[in-house]
Amino acid sequence: MAAPKSRLGRGLGGLIAAAKPVAPVSPAVPPAPAPAPATPGAPGYDEIDVHRIDPSPYQARREITAEQLNELAESIRAEGLLQPVVVRKVGERFQLIAGERRWRAFQQLRIKSIPARIVEASNASAAALGLIENLQREGLNPIEEAHGYASLIRDFDLTQETAAERVGKGRASVANSLRLLGLDGEIQGFISRNLISVGHAKVLLGMEDVALRSVLARRVIEEGLSVRSLEKLVQAQPKSVRPSAGRRAKRAGSKPEEAAAVGRIEQKLVSHLGTRVAVLHTPKKGRIVIEYRGNEDLQRVLGLLGIEA
């Protein structure tokens, strides 16, 4: 049977092979006897003192859990290190390109040196290689992946197409990933924690009403809605979506800061009541419109408002 193809067009190994290895260096302090990991015998690898390595400033992963780190540390203790970290020389120290979790596990195990491959790489190449490592080996969540692409584009003045080429992805795939960053922070958090899927996120991105997006995202979680069910729910909404609170206030002649304040109030009401709320405000008068669905939902909303029916 043919070997399965990599998810990415250019694998991490291929890109590293294209980078120019530098001559191995001797560690400043000989490694102390410790549960020694397996060291690859291929040329271009060396043992580097763990304390001489710094994390990458381009790391896409936002969170490394204690559980993940403990599991990796126990695996290294039992089996040794199967894949060395990749570093580049920066001044008198080394900077990680790939393998931060492995490096942190060595710190946790108090092992003084770690097998590493030393390559020469520009800042942009180091960032791309680190992102590929995470995508292929360490499973970034969709929001971390999107932030990784955004960092490549922002920090190194790349186009979406160039960034996609760097990591061996299609431009459309990168563009779709970046769209997730257009969602508000709460929904991004739901995606990061795998409470809603990217499929759900794509449906929500098609809605202009930000407050309603949040309401529907919570309904997906609370009711276990499928992507198809969410699509039907969105299609059932009125075609003429009401303008946002900010636009309504602006139309009434309010100042931008007043419009922003009204928007924040509306969002707080949406969060508290778990339903769609419109704050129709003018300097002289206004009204609050609260949406509910049926008798039971009305009872729920009234309860949250402290009103007995």
Side-chain angles (χ1 to χ4, degrees), residues 107-123:
Q107 290 177 312
Q108 183 168 310
L109 291 168
R110 300 182 183 275
I111 302 175
K112 292 187 177 181
S113 65
I114 186 168
R117 181 165 189 178
I118 308 166
V119 301
E120 290 180 353
S122 65
N123 289 342

Side-chain angles (χ1 to χ4, degrees), residues 170-191:
R171 190 195 64 78
S173 177
V174 171
N176 287 332
S177 179
L178 288 168
R179 288 185 68 214
L180 297 177
L181 301 182
L183 295 166
D184 64 84
E186 180 185 44
I187 297 179
Q188 288 186 32
F190 293 158
I191 299 168

Side-chain angles (χ1 to χ4, degrees), residues 40-227:
Y45 293 96
D46 196 14
E47 292 273 347
I48 298 177
D49 287 345
V50 169
H51 70 83
R52 296 181 65 199
I53 299 175
D54 298 315
S56 169
Y58 311 114
Q59 171 63 259
R61 182 175 295 280
R62 299 299 177 93
E63 182 180 356
I64 300 175
T65 67
E67 182 181 1
Q68 290 173 328
L69 204 54
N70 289 338
E71 288 178 357
L72 180 57
E74 287 306 311
S75 172
I76 291 172
R77 190 199 304 275
E79 306 293 338
L81 184 65
L82 302 180
Q83 182 68 39
V85 298
V86 180
V87 299
R88 62 175 181 156
K89 192 82 182 295
V90 178
E92 297 302 314
R93 297 180 63 79
F94 296 91
Q95 186 183 91
L96 277 170
I97 292 177
E100 181 164 343
R101 289 199 301 180
R102 282 163 273 163
W103 172 64
R104 291 191 183 279
F106 265 62
Q107 290 177 312
Q108 183 168 310
L109 291 168
R110 300 182 183 275
I111 302 175
K112 292 187 177 181
S113 65
I114 186 168
R117 181 165 189 178
I118 308 166
V119 301
E120 290 180 353
S122 65
N123 289 342
S125 294
L129 288 169
L131 180 56
I132 291 168
E133 159 78 4
N134 279 314
L135 290 172
Q136 286 189 326
R137 191 188 312 282
E138 300 182 355
L140 293 177
N141 69 55
I143 299 301
E144 288 175 328
E145 182 175 344
H147 277 296
Y149 297 140
S151 175
L152 279 179
I153 292 167
R154 179 186 64 247
D155 297 340
F156 306 108
D157 197 25
L158 302 180
T159 64
Q160 285 188 13
E161 186 173 4
T162 306
E165 289 174 356
R166 289 275 184 145
V167 298
K169 285 272 196 175
R171 190 195 64 78
S173 177
V174 171
N176 287 332
S177 179
L178 288 168
R179 288 185 68 214
L180 297 177
L181 301 182
L183 295 166
D184 64 84
E186 180 185 44
I187 297 179
Q188 288 186 32
F190 293 158
I191 299 168
S192 295
R193 299 193 299 276
N194 202 30
L195 296 175
I196 67 175
S197 70
V198 172
H200 290 108
K202 288 179 179 177
V203 176
L204 295 172
L205 278 165
M207 303 186 64
E208 293 184 3
D209 191 318
V210 176
L212 185 55
R213 276 183 189 172
S214 295
V215 172
L216 294 182
R218 293 191 198 98
R219 287 191 63 181
V220 168
I221 298 168
E222 293 167 3
E223 301 174 25
L225 298 178
S226 66
V227 173

